Every structure is written in C-alpha cells, then in structure tokens.
Amino acid sequence: MDKQSDRVIVIGAGPVGLCLSLVLAQQGIRVCLIEALGDDNFLDQVPRAGTNHPATLELFDRIGLYDKLETRGIIAPLFHYWDRQEGKLIAEFDHIHLKDDTRFPYVLQCERIKIAEEALKLARAHPDIDLRLSTTLTSFAQDADSVTAFVTNSAGEIESIRGSYLVSGEGARSIIRKDLDIEFEGFTYPDRTLNLEVAYDFRKHGYTERNYISDPDEWSNLFHWKGPPDRWRVHFPTRPEETEEELSRPEQLQARLQRFLPIGRDFEIVGWNLYTVHQRVAKKFRAGRAILAGDSAHVNSPIGAMGMNSGVHDAFNLADKLVRILRGEADADELDRYERQRRHVAVQHTQAETIRNKRVLAEKDPAVRKANHDLLRRTAEDPKLARAFLLRTSLIESLREADRIP
Ligand SMILES: Cc1cc2nc3c(=O)[nH]c(=O)nc-3n(C[C@H](O)[C@H](O)[C@H](O)COP(=O)(O)OP(=O)(O)OC[C@H]3O[C@@H](n4cnc5c(N)ncnc54)[C@H](O)[C@@H]3O)c2cc1C
C-alpha cells in the first residue's frame, strides 16, 4: 500500500475521534482527522458530558492527556444517592474501595469541551496527524484495498481523501452509519431532559460533587464543574407535552430550582438546554473498512456518565487493533473482535446500567423505592459489596469482561 492510502481517516474531533487519532499517531500510524467545526466555533459547543471514570483516566494518562485535564477539573472520590421526598442522603460511595484496582480511585469532573480542547492541542502538535478543521464528510466509498472519504473542505471545495480505514467518530448523527444502512436499534424516551447550569455551591446543603437524586415525580442529577466561576449542573425530567418555550421561561426555571432547594433568593442560572435521550446501539460496528466508535455506534442516557467514557474505551480498543493490523502483526479479522467486545459492552453494560439507573431514580412504587434505597444503603456500608458496585459503575468490570471475549 502506498503512503497516502496507508493512513487512517478519522471523522470527528470529539473525545472519541481525538483519542483514537492520538493513540494511532503516537504509535507511528498516520492519521487524517476531519472536523466540521473550525477554529472560529470549536469552543462554542455546549460542555456536555463531564464525569470521567477511573478507567478512562488511565487511558487519558497513556496519551499524555490526563495531566492537562487534572488542573481543569475536580477530583471527586465520592458520589451520593439522595431521596428528594425525604430530603435525606441514602448512600455515599467512595472510590477509595477501588484503590487496588486502579491508579485513579476517583472520577475527574471535567467537561467534554475541555477534553476536546486539550486533546485538539495535542493533535495539532503531532506531526503524524493531518488535522482538517472546517471540513465536513459528505460521503465515502470503499473497495477491497482502500477507502475514500469525500469532504467539503474549508475553501468550500469537494475533495477526496484516500486511506486504509475510515473511522466514524462523528457522534450520534453519523453519516457513515446511515450510508452503510446500519440499524440503530433501541428506543427514545418520550420525556426530554432539562439541563440547568447554576452558579451556586450546593455543598453547603450536604451534597457532594456528583449526586443522583431519586423522586417519584421529579428525579435529578446534580454535578459540580470547575470554573471560574464554578458551576453546578442540575438535570430534571420534563413532561412530553411541555413545549420548549414553556420550559425555558426564566420564572419556570427559577421555580423548578426553588422547588428542588429553596434558598430564599434567586439562583443565578448561567445556562440551560433541553435534550432528547436515546438508548440505541448500532446493529454492526463495522462494514469492511468503515468502522463506528463512540456515539456513532451507541447512545444512552447520561445517568451514570457512561456515554463519553465508553466511547473513549472504544477508541483505545480500536486504535490498538488498527496499529497491529497496519504493522502487519494481525489480520483484519481483529476488527470483528473489536465489534464483539465493544458491542457486548454497549448492550450488556452501558445500556443495561443506564436504563436501570433511570428506573431507580424515577421509581414511583413506594415499596420498590424503599427496597432500592435499602439495597443502595447496604451496598455502600459493606466494603466488599461497595467495591463490586463501584467496579461496575466505573466501567472497570466492562473492560475486564471485554478482554475475556475472544
Ligand atoms: C446535551 C448533551 C449532554 C450530554 N451529557 C452527557 C453527560 O452528562 N454524561 C455523558 O456521559 N454523556 C453525555 N452526553 C453524551 C456525550 O457528550 C457523548 O457520549 C460524547 O460526546 C461522544 O463523543 P464522540 O466523540 O463519539 O461524539 P461527539 O462528542 O458528538 O463528537 C462528534 C464530532 O464529530 C463532528 N462531526 C459530526 N459530523 C461530522 C461530519 N460529517 N464531518 C466532520 N465532522 C463531523 C462534530 O462536529 C463533533 O466535533 C451528552 C450529550 C449531549 C448532546
């Protein structure tokens, strides 16, 4: 294969495309990284995902990204389950139970946009990454030996780029997945999630940096992000019939927060957005030389913070296999193992866990709620049970299980 077609074409400079590109380039594989956003608007994206689990931190460390992020985030060893009806803390989990399982027995609260910004700097500085911003993939073609991506470049011209493999890190609306006619199996919740960004320190009310709050009428998530100024993100469910216009009225947003926690004065609301939550997994992660990773392969509810984390895990798994294939140390069937491993994780861990998380927070039956809370309490109090629980919630178990899949 000539030098041009040897490179890997990666579409999307989100966390997944960036991590994949960095792993490949750092192991001597040339990459062409295509991103629709440009220097003028890359940092305008909403922050989105922000909890980085221990296993993800180990991977970030491998590519020199962890040190850049630690200073921009908050180290959070604890997370809480609260009962809003009773106004009580149900359970406190401490990642210290994972001290023998990981070098990072905590999560790092650091938003997607900061991760993308720091990883983009590393990608820009790497001589083997040909970074093309303001460039959009429109279609692609493949044959037995190569793949060609057709893009509209920053000058508005159509350009064709040839490579050995094409990886979609394009996010949930992947053109590559749609072009390949791969079904995105699953469902969409009828209720959208309201995300409010608030400048207020909730820790004075007993909350920690990461809180899951159960309530039969209005469950919540509450997360702390580093500023300046520091911000807290509060998620609320909405009713399907509520319009965006109704939901976003400032007095409605304020009233919702005051019902959650009356503080005797207005909250400073610094941002809000509304999003639709899907639980979907692509039926296949690979067709020939085109491969899906991250949100283009699977999307899920943010309860449990698994979307971006599991996407980053896809990126490292796939990159290590592509390196071996392109060095001639493995054949292309290795990519089927990528699909077996990561699709298993998406279905059996990420989907199962996030669907269960939402069910527990929104449970209406008082007896089931009590049983759920009792179980969480018992689990947090018993070090053995707490470790097993944390291995699952922090995705370490999913990685160990995937490793055992031949
Ligand atoms: C509002 C919102 C809130 C979220 N909150 C959470 C959360 O709290 N916790 C959590 O775990 N997850 C959350 N997620 C999900 C999380 O952000 C994603 O799982 C994660 O960003 C996926 O990374 P990715 O790299 O696969 O895709 P993305 O981050 O979506 O990145 C895709 C990139 O590809 C680029 N691109 C797309 N199409 C093209 C094209 N045709 N040509 C060139 N470039 C293209 C895009 O511009 C983008 O930069 C949230 C998502 C949303 C939308």
Side-chain angles (χ1 to χ4, degrees), residues 70-212:
E70 194 191 272
T71 51
R72 300 195 64 185
I74 300 171
I75 289 178
L78 304 179
F79 73 98
H80 282 175
Y81 280 91
W82 285 77
D83 178 348
R84 176 168 163 179
Q85 247 186 356
E86 303 264 322
K88 277 196 187 138
L89 176 66
I90 305 165
E92 174 175 277
F93 286 93
D94 189 340
H95 281 82
I96 198 64
H97 292 298
L98 299 182
K99 66 179 186 330
D100 297 329
D101 298 283
T102 173
R103 286 183 290 127
F104 299 93
Y106 51 80
V107 305
L108 184 72
Q109 295 290 97
C110 183
E111 306 92 302
R112 173 196 175 278
I113 190 60
K114 294 176 185 165
I115 297 167
E117 184 186 359
E118 295 298 336
L120 191 72
K121 284 187 208 159
L122 294 179
R124 220 189 268 278
H126 202 292
D128 284 336
I129 300 180
D130 173 13
L131 173 66
R132 311 274 191 101
L133 295 182
S134 303
T135 300
T136 304
L137 174 90
T138 51
S139 63
F140 75 97
Q142 59 173 323
D143 58 32
D145 302 316
S146 69
V147 59
T148 305
F150 299 99
V151 302
T152 305
N153 65 23
S154 54
E157 300 153 352
I158 309 283
E159 192 184 330
S160 61
I161 298 171
R162 195 154 168 251
S164 55
Y165 288 95
L166 175 69
V167 180
S168 165
E170 306 158 83
R173 296 203 175 110
S174 165
I175 293 172
I176 296 172
R177 189 188 68 240
K178 286 176 198 151
D179 272 10
L180 290 169
D181 208 15
I182 296 176
E183 203 182 325
F184 212 20
E185 296 176 326
F187 66 91
T188 299
Y189 286 109
D191 52 323
R192 289 166 299 168
T193 297
L194 178 65
N195 173 39
L196 288 171
E197 305 274 332
V198 182
Y200 179 77
D201 192 350
F202 287 83
R203 283 173 300 190
K204 52 189 162 202
H205 302 276
Y207 293 105
T208 187
E209 325 303 328
R210 200 170 142 227
N211 309 272
Y212 295 101

Side-chain angles (χ1 to χ4, degrees), residues 11-17 34-37 45 48-50 112 135-137 169-171 175 233 273 275 293-295 302 305-308:
I11 312 297
V16 172
I34 309 287
E35 168 57 49
L37 298 172
Q45 304 175 66
R48 292 164 61 174
R112 173 196 175 278
T135 300
T136 304
L137 174 90
E170 306 158 83
I175 293 172
R233 179 179 296 177
N273 63 304
Y275 59 91
D295 271 21
M306 298 194 161
M308 182 173 65

Side-chain angles (χ1 to χ4, degrees), residues 309 312-313 366:
N309 284 272
V312 169
H313 299 182

Side-chain angles (χ1 to χ4, degrees), residues 225-400:
W225 309 127
K226 187 167 180 172
D230 278 19
R231 291 175 177 200
W232 288 70
R233 179 179 296 177
V234 198
H235 287 157
F236 292 114
T238 62
R239 289 194 306 278
E241 66 279 11
E242 286 176 299
T243 65
E244 184 161 342
E245 198 264 322
E246 281 162 5
L247 287 166
S248 63
R249 280 188 205 129
E251 66 278 12
Q252 291 289 342
L253 300 179
Q254 193 59 240
R256 211 183 262 266
L257 284 166
Q258 296 292 343
R259 278 199 306 275
F260 172 69
L261 185 71
I263 58 166
R265 61 182 166 87
D266 276 0
F267 281 98
E268 187 189 341
I269 300 172
V270 290
W272 72 273
N273 63 304
L274 193 61
Y275 59 91
T276 305
V277 179
H278 309 276
Q279 295 283 169
R280 295 184 185 276
V281 181
K283 194 158 191 163
K284 290 184 349 183
F285 281 17
R286 177 205 172 194
R289 292 177 174 273
I291 311 152
L292 310 179
D295 271 21
S296 79
H298 45 80
V299 286
N300 56 268
S301 130
I303 308 176
M306 298 194 161
M308 182 173 65
N309 284 272
S310 65
V312 169
H313 299 182
D314 291 350
F316 279 78
N317 182 311
L318 177 58
D320 286 344
K321 290 182 170 59
L322 285 171
V323 168
R324 288 179 11 90
I325 293 166
L326 290 166
R327 282 185 184 156
E329 296 163 9
D331 66 35
D333 292 350
E334 268 287 280
L335 297 175
D336 293 331
R337 183 164 181 239
Y338 161 74
E339 176 179 287
R340 284 194 298 278
Q341 291 177 316
R342 297 308 305 167
R343 200 170 181 283
H344 169 84
V345 168
V347 174
Q348 300 297 334
H349 289 263
T350 315
Q351 294 291 313
E353 195 82 16
T354 51
I355 290 170
R356 184 167 51 234
N357 287 344
K358 181 169 182 198
R359 203 179 296 135
V360 167
L361 294 192
E363 180 58 54
K364 288 191 181 302
D365 182 324
V368 180
R369 284 189 88 229
K370 183 176 178 313
N372 287 340
H373 295 176
D374 288 347
L375 180 60
L376 280 167
R377 211 173 280 120
R378 276 202 311 278
T379 306
E381 282 164 4
D382 178 321
K384 254 196 185 154
L385 294 177
R387 174 174 169 261
F389 180 85
L390 287 161
L391 284 172
R392 210 174 67 234
T393 57
S394 68
L395 294 172
I396 292 175
E397 186 179 298
S398 77
L399 285 170
R400 290 180 181 169

